[in-house]
Structures are given as C-alpha cells and as structure tokens.
Amino acid sequence: MSARTYGLLPGAGGSAWYWHRVVPLLRERGHEAIAVDLPADDDAYGLEDYVDVVVNAVGKRDDLVLVAQSMGGLTAPLVCDRVPVSELILVNAMIPAPGESGGEWWSATGQGQAQRESDEREGRDPDAPFDPMVHFLHDVPAEVLADADAHQRDQSGTPFALPWPRDSWPDVPTRVLSSRDDRLFPVDFQVRVAQERLGITPEILPGGHLVALSRPVELVDLLVD
C-alpha cells in the first residue's frame, strides 16, 4: 500500500497521548501519523472548534484517513466538509444522527441499557459507581497506566450540548472497528448502532474501549488493511 496520512482523533479528554502507541507503528509501516490534541477541558470550545483544531493539524494532504476514537465520532464527519478525506474509520465510536446532540446520543441509542445488560451478563455490579478501571482501563498494560494520569483531562460538556449539524453522513468511505471486550460500548451494541445508522457491519478486534492503548498492533493491522 502506498503511503497514507492518518489523522488520529481522540475521544473524551482530547489527549493526543491516547495514540502514542499507534503513531510509531504506523510510521514503521511507511505512513504519516498525526495525533490531534483537542481543547477538551475548556468549556469555551464546541464541536465546530474541535473541527478547526483538526483541520489545522492535518492540513490538506493527499490520501488522508481520519481515525476517530469514541467521542471523536462526533467530530470526524464534520472535518470531511473542510478537507479532502479518502477514508473515515470509527473505533469504538459514537455514531451521531442528524439533529441529535451528543448528550441525547446516550439515550437515543440505548447505551445505558446495553452497558447494564453487559455488566450483568459478565458478573459486574450494574449499579456500582462508575469506575474507569472497570470500564475503560481493565485491559491496559500496567506500564501504560503508570503514565496515564499525567495525560488525563476532564471533558467539557459543551460539545455535547448542540444538535449534530450535518443532515446526513458524509459521502466518504467509512469503516467501523469495534472491540470485542469493550465494556462501555458493548460490541453487540456497537454492531446494532452501526447497522442501524450507517448500514455498516463493524470489523471486530480484541481489546477494550481504549484499544489503542491496550492492543495497538492489532488496531494498526486493521487500520492499514
């Protein structure tokens, strides 16, 4: 495969560090990788501001692939209106519907019930207080966890407040990658939402929600497939 540019969008918290295990693997395979850092902890910034940051980071490159993790799924399709994008890849991502805010997405998709059923099925207490170690970090190696706190930022609610502004999904080839062991967005939930909203059946890979930290090799294998 010829060299491509991968623009890597993080999820909630907006830290480019999330991709630090993926970037060198993509570069080893001859591709350019740009991990975008978003102003996620600043209430002054909404989705359109995130789009500006991404556009400035990736520029207008040939054969740009946008890869969006989790909440990044709200931003990446909007970037396609601003710069040429050859492929859009969603990784354990939120898939918005026209006119639906990010805040409404959770109930509209049934995420809460899906997570509850997954917790019950796998023996976790569905009524326990939210614990990042249980639903986010359960499969992230200890040596990676040791650095995680230094890169953790609280996510502002501003990008979740307004309706998603597109009236349809962009006319860009799209793939959906879903992690088999995701506890926040269980894989059967992701499959259903992707099929209902995009008519796409996800490709399944091992790992939890933060798969770029826990399974970077397997993720890169799919990204460059």
Side-chain angles (χ1 to χ4, degrees):
M1 178 184 291
S2 60
R4 312 180 83 183
T5 297
Y6 287 84
L8 307 172
L9 279 60
S15 176
W17 177 85
Y18 172 71
W19 298 104
H20 79 280
R21 303 189 75 195
V22 166
V23 168
L25 296 176
L26 287 171
R27 290 174 177 167
E28 285 173 7
R29 300 192 190 199
H31 303 288
E32 185 177 6
I34 303 170
V36 181
D37 205 65
L38 295 173
D41 56 351
D42 191 331
D43 290 336
Y45 290 87
L47 280 184
E48 295 294 346
D49 301 298
Y50 287 14
V51 172
D52 289 341
V53 173
V54 175
V55 168
N56 289 334
V58 300
K60 292 187 177 181
R61 287 170 163 80
D62 294 331
D63 207 1
L64 173 65
V65 180
L66 283 184
V67 183
Q69 159 73 18
S70 194
M71 181 190 168
L74 303 179
T75 302
L78 306 180
V79 176
C80 297
D81 294 328
R82 299 273 302 277
V83 297
V85 175
S86 62
E87 188 174 31
L88 184 56
I89 303 179
L90 305 176
V91 182
N92 299 325
M94 299 173 71
I95 300 175
E100 172 188 275
S101 71
E104 294 168 337
W105 177 91
W106 304 88
S107 58
T109 58
Q111 182 276 338
Q113 183 62 29
Q115 180 182 327
R116 184 177 187 85
E117 291 173 358
S118 175
D119 286 341
E120 291 174 341
R121 186 169 58 248
E122 297 177 9
R124 295 182 294 276
D125 180 0
D127 297 311
F130 180 78
D131 184 349
M133 285 300 302
V134 172
H135 287 99
F136 283 158
L137 303 167
H138 57 95
D139 65 335
V140 177
E143 63 272 18
V144 179
L145 282 177
D147 293 333
D149 283 348
H151 302 277
Q152 183 63 36
R153 298 199 298 261
D154 292 334
Q155 174 61 52
S156 166
T158 301
F160 292 97
L162 297 178
W164 195 63
R166 286 193 114 263
D167 58 10
S168 63
W169 197 256
D171 186 18
V172 173
T174 301
R175 296 167 63 198
V176 179
L177 309 185
S178 300
S179 293
R180 185 181 300 116
D181 305 311
D182 194 328
R183 296 178 179 179
L184 182 69
F185 299 165
V187 66
D188 53 349
F189 162 78
Q190 290 196 50
V191 169
R192 173 177 60 79
V193 173
Q195 291 174 337
E196 289 176 353
R197 295 196 164 189
L198 299 179
I200 295 173
T201 298
E203 302 163 61
I204 309 301
L205 73 161
H209 190 67
L210 302 182
V211 66
L213 295 177
S214 63
R215 298 280 192 147
V217 174
E218 291 91 336
L219 176 56
V220 170
D221 283 344
L222 281 180
L223 293 181
V224 303
D225 185 9

